[in-house]
Amino acid sequence: MASVLARRARGSAAAALWGAARGFASVGSDIVSAAPGVSLQKARSWDEGVATKFSTTPLKDIFHGKKVVIFGLPGAYTGVCSQAHVPSYKNNIDKLKAKGIDSVICVAVNDPYVLKGWAEKLQAKDAIEFYGDFDGSFHKSLDLEIDLSAALLGRRSHRWSAFVDNGKIKAFNVEKAPSEFKVSGAEVILDQI
Amino acid sequence: MATAASLSLVTAAAAGKRFVLSSPSLSFSSYRRPTTLLRATSPKTWRRAAASSSSLIVATIAVGDKLPNATLSYFDPADGELKTVTVADLTAGKKAVLFAVPGAFTPTCSQKHLPGFAEKAGELRAKGVATVACVSVNDAFVMRAWKESLGLGDDVMLLSDGNLELTRAMGVEMDLSDNPVGLGVRSRRYALLADDGVVKVLNLEEGGAFTTSSAEEMLKSLE
């Protein structure tokens, strides 16, 4: 499926966005204040949602007072995301924890139920926390949204990763095209921590 | 954000808006209805062709209407490729059963609606139905994964209406964006029979409730 994305997204919005200055989120900025009022939805089953009254998680709960490695990807169940991106973090979780990382988070523009199904399928639920940005507001605030309608996915996010320390972005990597997987993997960020 | 009334189980009933969370079904009586000026009492009038303008007023689909043409996507089980198909392709010159779920991986859908149709697909075909397809506002990757997670074969086509093209054109969208469940705008649950693209049987639910849109009900209508 990466080939589908590559074929259709190549040279389009992704390249243009990459050229433009990314104003809202960059190294040194505070991720929580870049996205005020935004919360994410922890991946969960419907019943878990009912039990917690569908509570959402505000960004400060995720980032304040913690060292977090967070990575975002275009969509659950799609090619590169499933075959390379998530496994990269799952397989390096011990190294990340050894460097003092409190949590590793995966975020995508999917609803939390789809994300839970995917996390279980990838057997990554223990290592990584999955959060849904179901309406794209988190990624929009960080200027990371991209229109992947050409790949039949609609409005999604770039493929990216960041190391956030107590809310401050210390490292920030965004792929030039969502089908690529060069700078947003665990190996790269391990060097940046 | 959703009002406190619609979230609280206790006061919701008093306020006259039911937000039933205690049952496993998706009963979204408090969703925002699409703005419809006219219910299609005379189906021939007031149906504009599907367009992408969000200010378009679309009457909800009704028996006797021709299904709007829209493009859906899916993964072809024959070769694993991502493909698109139009409503016209699916329905022209034949009988087709289309049913919609609010979301893959959510309860009633996963546990009853889709498997019900998968089970009855053979019987539906024996009654002359050429195509049995499930539509949801999810992308095709998610639809494929959902089908695999349920261990279903290829009797039911799983179609993605990811950009709401068909759902909006039929006037059956439900806007849950204010709702913290995290689903955004989805499709109401329904099951319909179309003959040469004209709706002959329509079982349209309120929100995500699961009453008349089952495979059993559809089979009964075909008798």
Side-chain angles (χ1 to χ4, degrees):
Chain A
M1 288 312 115
S3 59
V4 174
L5 281 173
R7 242 182 286 131
R8 307 208 197 203
R10 189 179 297 145
S12 65
L17 259 173
W18 181 249
R22 181 157 278 106
F24 300 136
S26 49
V27 176
S29 59
D30 185 304
I31 203 168
V32 178
S33 25
V38 168
S39 20
L40 293 172
Q41 303 234 338
K42 197 155 187 178
R44 59 185 169 213
S45 69
W46 187 262
D47 294 332
E48 284 165 1
V50 173
T52 58
K53 295 208 193 343
F54 297 105
S55 60
T56 56
T57 313
L59 292 183
K60 60 176 174 56
D61 289 354
I62 298 175
F63 292 107
H64 276 182
K66 297 196 195 150
K67 285 183 161 49
V68 174
V69 162
I70 178 169
F71 64 100
L73 39 85
Y77 294 109
T78 57
V80 176
C81 307
S82 296
Q83 282 149 25
H85 206 174
V86 174
S88 151
Y89 285 88
K90 180 184 165 198
N91 297 337
N92 281 294
I93 187 73
D94 295 326
K95 290 197 188 137
L96 287 161
K97 292 266 154 108
K99 287 217 166 189
I101 297 297
D102 297 301
S103 30
V104 176
I105 292 180
C106 173
V107 62
V109 183
N110 282 107
D111 67 57
Y113 317 103
V114 163
L115 280 176
K116 175 175 192 284
W118 188 47
E120 280 173 356
K121 172 137 195 269
L122 294 175
Q123 295 175 319
K125 268 198 93 184
D126 299 320
I128 303 171
E129 294 173 44
F130 287 79
Y131 281 86
D133 179 22
F134 82 97
D135 58 3
S137 54
F138 175 64
H139 286 96
K140 201 176 164 98
S141 315
L142 298 178
D143 203 14
L144 284 170
E145 68 162 10
I146 177 174
D147 188 348
L148 293 176
S149 299
L152 303 179
L153 286 174
R155 306 201 74 81
R156 294 294 172 115
S157 81
H158 278 280
R159 190 180 305 283
W160 60 282
S161 67
F163 165 45
V164 185
D165 190 348
N166 193 21
K168 292 270 178 298
I169 303 179
K170 292 286 170 76
F172 191 45
N173 311 299
V174 184
E175 300 286 356
K176 286 200 178 58
S179 51
E180 287 180 1
F181 182 55
K182 299 192 180 128
V183 304
S184 59
E187 293 81 13
V188 174
I189 211 146
L190 270 169
D191 285 332
Q192 294 171 325
I193 296 173
Chain B
M1 290 301 295
T3 62
S6 63
L7 283 177
S8 156
L9 292 175
V10 175
T11 59
K17 284 190 180 200
R18 260 180 49 252
F19 187 62
V20 181
L21 292 179
S22 50
S23 74
S25 71
L26 283 169
S27 290
F28 290 113
S29 347
S30 56
Y31 67 85
R32 258 190 274 136
R33 287 289 196 92
T35 30
T36 48
L37 279 186
L38 287 181
R39 288 260 146 199
T41 45
S42 48
K44 303 265 180 350
T45 65
W46 252 113
R47 293 279 318 176
R48 286 195 236 165
S52 52
S53 160
S54 55
S55 58
L56 184 70
I57 310 290
V58 177
T60 309
I61 191 123
V63 172
D65 287 350
K66 181 122 187 158
L67 279 174
N69 204 11
T71 305
L72 306 158
S73 64
Y74 69 106
F75 275 96
D76 188 341
D79 56 13
E81 288 289 309
L82 178 61
K83 297 186 177 156
T84 57
V85 67
T86 63
V87 170
D89 292 336
L90 289 169
T91 61
K94 49 191 167 186
K95 291 201 170 86
V97 165
L98 279 185
F99 64 100
V101 299
F105 293 99
T106 55
T108 321
C109 315
S110 292
Q111 280 140 31
K112 296 192 203 141
H113 205 186
L114 172 54
F117 270 95
E119 241 179 278
K120 301 285 181 201
E123 292 181 50
L124 286 166
R125 280 191 221 260
K127 292 202 191 270
V129 174
T131 308
V132 179
C134 174
V135 178
S136 179
V137 181
N138 282 107
D139 64 55
F141 295 90
V142 167
M143 294 302 276
R144 176 176 63 170
W146 185 39
K147 166 185 158 183
E148 285 170 5
S149 77
L150 294 171
L152 297 177
D154 304 326
D155 296 313
V156 175
M157 266 186 97
L158 264 79
L159 300 173
S160 150
D161 186 23
N163 57 3
L164 284 156
E165 194 187 326
L166 176 62
T167 302
R168 279 205 218 275
M170 286 172 62
V172 296
E173 71 265 35
M174 62 173 173
D175 190 346
L176 301 167
S177 309
D178 279 357
N179 200 305
V181 295
L183 291 175
V185 184
R186 296 291 173 111
S187 167
R188 287 163 68 178
R189 195 187 302 283
Y190 62 81
L192 65 85
L193 170 74
D195 196 344
D196 194 22
V198 176
V199 179
K200 297 291 181 193
V201 174
L202 175 66
N203 297 323
L204 178 60
E205 309 271 12
E206 283 297 312
F210 185 54
T211 59
T212 56
S213 59
S214 67
E216 287 85 2
E217 283 298 320
M218 183 55 68
L219 270 172
K220 280 192 215 156
S221 319
L222 287 168
E223 265 149 34

